Amino acid sequence: GEDVEQSLFLSVREGDSSVINCTYTDSSSTYLYWYKQEPGAGLQLLTYIFSNMDMKQDQRLTVLLNKKDKHLSLRIADTQTGDSAIYFCAELGTGKLIFGQGTTLQVKP
Amino acid sequence: DTAVSQTPKYLVTQMGNDKSIKCEQNLGHDTMYWYKQDSKKFLKIMFSYNNKELIINETVPNRFSPKSPDKAHLNLHINSLELGDSAVYFCASSPFSSGELFFGEGSRLTVL
């Protein structure tokens, strides 16, 4: 079945890079996504990557995809306190988006 | 201009009651969803509608009944509320079969 796994917590210092990792099971997923949820708010789409790409860069965000290992990562360069949130990895399964458990990113000043 | 709006934002009620949450989107999307987020932040799809037609119905108790009067609205009615129904319910919309979802702010339901 479809399953997406993430580590639950990451703490970094302001200015450092953050790397959030995710593994998924459905090798037929065409797109993989990263969403961000700030406290008390809904999820917002941050970025996505097509399954035939290895890397996608968008300003401070870099997404790496290792399709062989079914591993996806999100790197945030120069992490700021405003980046503190929960980050969800998701794969597009059979007509629906399957989310990981979410990684809480804590940014310390 | 709120893209996906849901009401109410907070709902506190007693076990056994019936309650509804409403959702509206002004993005012109074909597909709307209800997701449930539990206390551990785990997000699970409940229902998906495309142009008023039910296309995904996960293993949700039949006390939960979605209704889509038109493609811009998707409401969720819950009968005989139980303690385990306490959660944040998110409405979302997307172009058909896309993973680019736009979420509402969530409706926090607390069942006492």
Side-chain angles (χ1 to χ4, degrees), chain A residues 17-28:
Chain A
S17 291
S18 308
V19 180
I20 302 170
N21 295 300
C22 168
T23 56
Y24 60 97
T25 55
D26 188 353
S27 56
S28 66

Side-chain angles (χ1 to χ4, degrees), chain A residues 95, chain B residues 31-33 47-50 53-57 96-97:
Chain B
T31 310
M32 294 185 73
Y33 310 81
F47 301 104
S48 170
Y49 271 74
N50 187 63
E53 188 178 330
L54 180 67
I55 53 172
I56 292 174
N57 182 351
F96 179 61
S97 287

Side-chain angles (χ1 to χ4, degrees), chain A residues 1 6 93 99:
Chain A
Q6 303 176 235
F99 287 93

Side-chain angles (χ1 to χ4, degrees), chain B residues 39-52:
Chain B
S39 57
K40 294 184 179 176
K41 304 300 182 186
F42 184 65
L43 204 64
K44 188 166 168 36
I45 189 168
M46 300 172 69
F47 301 104
S48 170
Y49 271 74
N50 187 63
N51 270 322
K52 303 192 295 176

